[in-house]
Amino acid sequence: MKAPEIQALLWYLHLVFGCLALLCVLLMLNDYGFKGTQTERVFFTLYAGTGMLIYGLTKPDNDARYAYLTGFFGFPFVLLIGLLLPPLRTLTLVAAITLLSDSEFQRYTIDDDYALQTKTTGILSSYPVYSLVEDKYLFFEKIVPDVVKPKAALHSLKMVKKGEDSLRIQVNNIDTVIAIY
């Protein structure tokens, strides 16, 4: 397709969302994230979406940009080839299910600065992961995973802030106190 202005605009958007996606990965490695439960997913989706649009608009060529697009956004075709080859079929199915699995987030507010977040991934694990979310800085929050480890689905939850430095959490039949800084 001959639309150099659209391709240039998409490349710039793709680079912006690529930088934001890289920032999300660096933040997640350090237990931080952008505010909101789905913000990282939005950036990753917009990064992948602009890449797929550019891949569809770009004619095949022997340059580095097309090799980049083929490497990242031709991945569904790699999965299709993996399904056709019997030795790789099980590995490909596990990779595809992992990529397609969706998580359910739920946040329970403690006060203006803290919240308890549950993350349930139905395919991989039926038990939620409990994380403490602390409001930090302007656009970021600190996420401390696995603050409570019950091996059951959430039935009852009670939270009481005990002073400025601790929080009492009662999940199902588990009663625990965690320190907050």
Side-chain angles (χ1 to χ4, degrees):
M1 180 174 183
K2 293 186 179 182
E5 295 87 12
I6 293 175
Q7 281 185 341
L9 179 65
L10 281 174
W11 269 111
Y12 290 131
L13 284 173
H14 184 69
L15 290 174
V16 167
F17 289 127
C19 291
L20 287 172
L22 180 65
L23 181 61
C24 287
V25 169
L26 292 174
L27 287 171
M28 282 196 285
L29 290 174
N30 293 306
D31 292 332
Y32 278 85
F34 284 99
K35 286 189 180 178
T37 56
Q38 305 291 338
T39 310
E40 286 86 4
R41 286 182 178 196
V42 170
F43 289 145
F44 293 142
T45 303
L46 290 172
Y47 169 66
T50 55
M52 286 183 211
L53 286 173
I54 295 170
Y55 183 65
L57 291 174
T58 305
K59 64 178 182 165
D61 202 1
N62 287 335
D63 61 348
R65 282 194 269 175
Y66 193 72
Y68 160 77
L69 290 172
T70 303
F72 278 106
F73 305 106
F75 188 68
F77 302 110
V78 172
L79 288 176
L80 182 64
I81 291 170
L83 284 175
L84 296 175
L85 298 173
L88 300 176
R89 190 171 292 154
T90 304
L91 183 63
T92 304
L93 284 174
V94 169
I97 288 172
T98 303
L99 288 173
L100 294 175
S101 66
D102 194 18
S103 301
E104 180 183 337
F105 290 92
Q106 185 70 37
R107 285 206 176 166
Y108 302 97
T109 305
I110 298 168
D111 62 6
D112 291 338
D113 293 328
Y114 293 95
L116 186 72
Q117 173 178 292
T118 61
K119 176 184 174 186
T120 306
T121 307
I123 294 174
L124 302 175
S125 173
S126 59
Y127 304 126
V129 175
Y130 296 89
S131 304
L132 184 67
V133 179
E134 180 183 358
D135 191 6
K136 289 279 201 181
Y137 312 116
L138 190 57
F139 298 111
F140 307 109
E141 58 192 15
K142 182 165 178 59
I143 302 165
V144 180
D146 285 335
V147 292
V148 182
K149 297 183 181 187
K151 296 294 183 196
L154 179 66
H155 296 293
S156 64
L157 174 69
K158 292 180 185 176
M159 295 181 292
V160 179
K161 194 166 181 186
K162 308 281 264 181
E164 293 295 318
D165 62 345
S166 63
L167 173 71
R168 181 178 180 195
I169 301 174
Q170 293 174 306
V171 179
N172 299 341
N173 294 327
I174 298 173
D175 190 1
T176 186
V177 176
I178 60 172
I180 52 179
Y181 303 102

